[in-house]
Amino acid sequence: MADFKKKKLGDLLKEAGLITELQIIEAIERKKADQKLGNALVEQGFITEKQLLDVLEIQLKLDSVSLYQYPLDPALADVVTKEFARSKLLLPIKIEGSHLLVAMNDPLDFYAIEELEFATGYVVQPVIATRDDLLQTMNRVYDSKEVNVEHIEGEDAPAVRIFTQLLETGVTLRASDIHLDQTEHQVTVRYRVDGVLRTDRPLPKSLMNSLIARIKIMAGLNVTESRLPQDGRISTKILGKKTNLRVATLPTVFGEKVVLRILDMSNLFTKVVDIGFEPDVLEDYEALLKQPSGLILLTGPTGSGKTSTLYGSLNELNRPDLNIITVEDPVEYQLEGINQVQVNAQIGLTFAAGLRSILRQDPNVIMVGEIRDGETAENSIRAALTGHLVFSTLHTNSAIEAIPRLMDMGIESYLITSALSGVVAQRLVKTICKDCSYTREATPVEKEIFERRGQTIETITNGEGCDACRQTGYRGRMAIHELLVVDESMKKLMMNNASFQELKNHMIEKNTRLLIDDGLLKVKAGKTTLEEILRVASLDD
């Protein structure tokens, strides 16, 4: 067995001055039943994964390894089963004489080391790797092996295993979507992670027919129809977690393209406080939620997190004495205690028709997935005027643009004035990886950008790139916001048919924080980068 002294992780971290005994006790009390202390401390924010691995590396005098570019021998996948590797978070990576080099997330897991030594006959030499690096690498190693076996078996090989592999890899990568793109000779698998598509690996084209059939059967789609687009849903367990999938197929010249949207409930905002509003904006938004009636709109392009914010808002209001009903297209997440209606245009159940029916169900709170036309807009506004709190979304670039957009739909200004309570504009930006973040002095150009918006900055935070973030410097996403509260002075301007520029000027005079300014605050706090903010917001707003 490995010849280093058995030590407790908590003691090592205390010796390094990273945590206190009280923090360890708190982490133990809050951690999940089968969760290890190190993972719990990282998840709860007491330490970063890099700090954890650095301590293990220094204190135990072990090497760390980056599996992302490590030359792995595929034959080593036969040394341990995928199930054992995943459950123990370890992966054999090299044989050196009588020693087996094993990448481990927890080199203090002596039971796993003993079990591996007994099963293989080798002396295990642990090296340290990050959790995500291990999971992603073992998915790649084992999936490649299994796909090759099934390819040899031929076109009739079961697609169940491949489909499971794709989903497991998607969840491990924290991907929002999985794309299966057919070309002339192969199938490309891509995962959208933090808003960016990553190419994973090709699949043999001969496997695609059986794989698509498997997906269609699970999603309740027509297996024989390949000439028309189809949409469906799948509810399944991935890595022990219940996960909903949205399935969309599209006929292309080389065969059907499939996109799987991973709807992971654990990634959904459960409370408004989790959405990322700045404290003063959060206070104003929660005041809007406490109003008994009115229309609250969320604006932004597709993929800006509007649905998550809406669900977080509904969860905040969700209690037994309120009747909350939604009409959505599609129903992405199923929420406990909330009545959700799925739009079905083929049978006449549109947003407008659904909203008319909802109003006969004595609701207190209504959520309309999207205002797409004048009829839905008018029904939403009339619902807000008759004592209901109504939420919906619009595709506009800023909060103030929601007002002229409603007018363009034919809604009278006096109706908008009476009903509209507030508008939130939102964008998603990538967050800096905590494991490789570093701070440097701001350049003159960066300082000038902040000065243009009435702010100052001395230091800038960036991500250097590490194994945890796949050398990108980013890990995860967060929202930036712009909240327009429709107060009495704004209503007067609207009643007098003020121009768009007059409304915007009034917003600025009231010191409303615009998207760009909220983004710069988050750059100043070291949460994201200037490049990310300028990608989604304009300095000239």
Side-chain angles (χ1 to χ4, degrees), residues 57 60 129 137 171 188 247 254 278 293 303 317 322 397 425 430 433:
E57 191 174 350
L60 302 178
T137 304
V171 169
T188 303
V247 180
F254 293 120
E278 291 296 316
S293 63
L317 296 166
L322 286 182
N397 290 324
K430 296 196 285 285
C433 174

Side-chain angles (χ1 to χ4, degrees), residues 355-376:
L355 185 50
R356 284 197 301 272
S357 300
I358 283 173
L359 291 170
R360 294 192 285 272
Q361 294 287 323
D362 186 31
N364 301 101
V365 179
I366 299 167
M367 192 266 272
V368 181
E370 184 184 344
I371 293 177
R372 296 177 180 171
D373 52 58
E375 186 182 3
T376 307

Side-chain angles (χ1 to χ4, degrees), residues 157-259:
V160 178
R161 198 181 306 162
I162 301 171
F163 186 50
T164 302
Q165 291 167 7
L166 294 172
L167 298 183
E168 286 180 354
T169 302
V171 169
T172 302
L173 289 168
R174 299 184 183 90
S176 59
D177 303 89
I178 304 172
H179 291 242
L180 303 177
D181 299 313
Q182 297 205 55
T183 62
E184 188 175 359
H185 302 295
Q186 66 180 26
V187 179
T188 303
V189 179
R190 296 188 293 171
Y191 296 92
R192 189 176 293 281
V193 181
D194 296 338
V196 179
L197 275 173
R198 295 182 185 175
T199 300
D200 185 60
R201 59 191 167 92
L203 287 174
K205 183 125 178 168
S206 59
L207 293 174
M208 195 58 176
N209 286 341
S210 55
L211 181 57
I212 288 178
R214 170 68 183 172
I215 292 170
K216 285 183 175 179
I217 289 167
M218 291 187 70
L221 303 180
N222 184 348
V223 179
T224 61
E225 179 57 78
S226 59
R227 299 165 302 168
L228 293 172
Q230 296 188 70
D231 295 292
R233 297 180 68 91
I234 296 173
S235 184
T236 186
K237 268 199 168 182
I238 307 171
L239 301 177
K241 265 193 313 189
K242 185 183 175 185
T243 307
N244 293 324
L245 305 168
R246 209 168 82 205
V247 180
T249 69
L250 182 73
T252 72
V253 291
F254 293 120
E256 286 181 281
K257 170 185 170 67
V258 180
V259 175

